[in-house]
Amino acid sequence: MNLFGLFSRNQSAPAARERLQVLLAHERASAGASDLLAKLRDEILRVISKHMQIDQDKVSVRMDRGEQVSTLAVDVEIPFNPAKPTTSRKKAA
Amino acid sequence: MGKVIVVTSGKGGVGKTTSTAALGAALAQSGEKVVVVDFDVGLRNLDLVMGAERRVVYDFVNVIQGEAKLPQALIRDKRLETLYLLPASQTRDKDNLTPEGVEKVIAALKRAFDWVICDSPAGIERGATLAMRHADVAIVVTNPEVSSVRDSDRIIGLLDSKTLKAESGERMEKHLLLTRYDPSRADRGDMLKVDDVLEILSIPLLGIIPESMDVLRASNLGSPVTLADERSAPARAYFDAVRRLKGEALPVAIPGERRGFFGKIFGRKAA
């Protein structure tokens, strides 16, 4: 490579740096969000299960991030007879 | 009580095993009592890089399963009296590394050695998380290359969440070891510069190991590079890294930055 080539050739490192910065900003944010979702899921489950019996596996919590608005969707499948048999539970305990 | 260090990276092939051997030997060369521990069950290589592959009788898994006592599995280095190796198992499954077993072995090693250096397997699965679990200090080995930097970022996230230190609310001490750095390529703008990587990962720099034939030559011979050729550029970089690890405030010289105008013009063709 000659001296002129040094100036005319496109450097690739700045592109690498920029792509990494954008990607990692995104990945770090989504890693934090999945933590938040897990926390939300746990707390929502705890509140609902105070009042009715639900199957832990039949709950989905989803978050969509938009530019203006983000939405949180919680889907809970409620069994046929959801009322919690509080008296029998007390006996069992 | 000794200090437990994990050498980790996420990505494979960046120089974890080479660096574990070199740092372990350099610490032992300065008179410290050191054990290097291979966590890569099924794909062990630290024994080979250390030149002890024909002396492995018992391994880490044998100790965990109670088939051997810890002192029987430890291999003392032939060149350095204070350097020991605990090899991984080559034939067993990595599920044989149980959290309780690892905890016991690490606790015993901490009592007997000044430094316990854990060579992590690549990836973010069980082997890697077990290797980092008990660490006091983490050395994140990174190449100046996009996939390595991304994986290091991920590993830093795990170090801050999945280790005992992190879980007990303490700050995990993390250091960056930049390996396979080629100053002429960085100069040309075709390799991420030291500052780029530092800015992206934002952990302190432990050292820069230049890309060098000496590293390959040392592993061919089964010798840590700090023993194979003490005066080679990578060996000097590892010795400096060890001084920093021991707490010395030694500034990091960036390879190639002292070259003058003519050095830059004529040095380019080298790579």
Side-chain angles (χ1 to χ4, degrees), chain B residues 115-130:
Chain B
W115 301 85
V116 180
I117 309 184
C118 305
D119 183 20
S120 170
I124 52 171
E125 307 301 324
R126 187 189 177 86
T129 47
L130 276 177

Side-chain angles (χ1 to χ4, degrees), chain B residues 15-43:
Chain B
K16 283 182 296 297
T17 302
T18 306
S19 297
T20 302
L23 293 169
L27 276 166
Q29 281 165 285
S30 73
E32 307 273 320
K33 206 170 175 204
V34 184
V35 61
V36 288
V37 184
D38 195 344
F39 270 80
D40 206 345
V41 173
L43 289 171

Side-chain angles (χ1 to χ4, degrees), chain B residues 156-221:
Chain B
I156 290 169
L158 290 182
L159 287 166
D160 286 334
S161 59
K162 303 277 183 200
T163 52
L164 281 178
K165 272 219 152 175
E167 283 172 7
S168 63
E170 283 179 71
R171 201 184 61 86
M172 182 79 190
E173 190 183 328
K174 301 173 292 288
H175 298 280
L176 178 72
L177 188 66
L178 196 62
T179 54
R180 310 200 68 164
Y181 187 74
D182 184 336
S184 60
R185 286 202 208 169
D187 267 1
R188 279 204 303 267
D190 279 332
M191 182 179 264
L192 286 166
K193 286 191 175 9
V194 177
D195 284 343
D196 294 339
V197 182
L198 283 176
E199 192 194 325
I200 292 167
L201 295 179
S202 55
I203 58 173
L205 184 62
L206 184 69
I208 304 166
I209 314 300
E211 170 83 74
S212 164
M213 267 304 295
D214 297 306
V215 174
L216 181 60
R217 199 165 17 231
S219 74
N220 286 342
L221 298 171

Side-chain angles (χ1 to χ4, degrees), chain B residues 231-242:
Chain B
R231 280 170 304 176
S232 65
R236 288 204 309 263
Y238 279 117
F239 284 125
D240 285 352
V242 155

Side-chain angles (χ1 to χ4, degrees), chain B residues 8-12 14 16 120-124 128 140-141 151-152 154-155:
Chain B
T8 186
S9 70
K11 189 176 183 299
V14 296
K16 283 182 296 297
S120 170
I124 52 171
V140 180
V141 182
D151 291 359
S152 293
R154 187 79 198 279
I155 280 291

Side-chain angles (χ1 to χ4, degrees), chain A residues 9 11-13 17 27-28, chain B residues 150 153 189-190 196 199-200:
Chain A
R9 193 163 172 271
Q11 298 191 335
S12 60
R17 176 196 152 101
E27 285 187 348
R28 286 169 189 160
Chain B
R150 181 198 209 175
D153 191 77
D190 279 332
D196 294 339
E199 192 194 325
I200 292 167

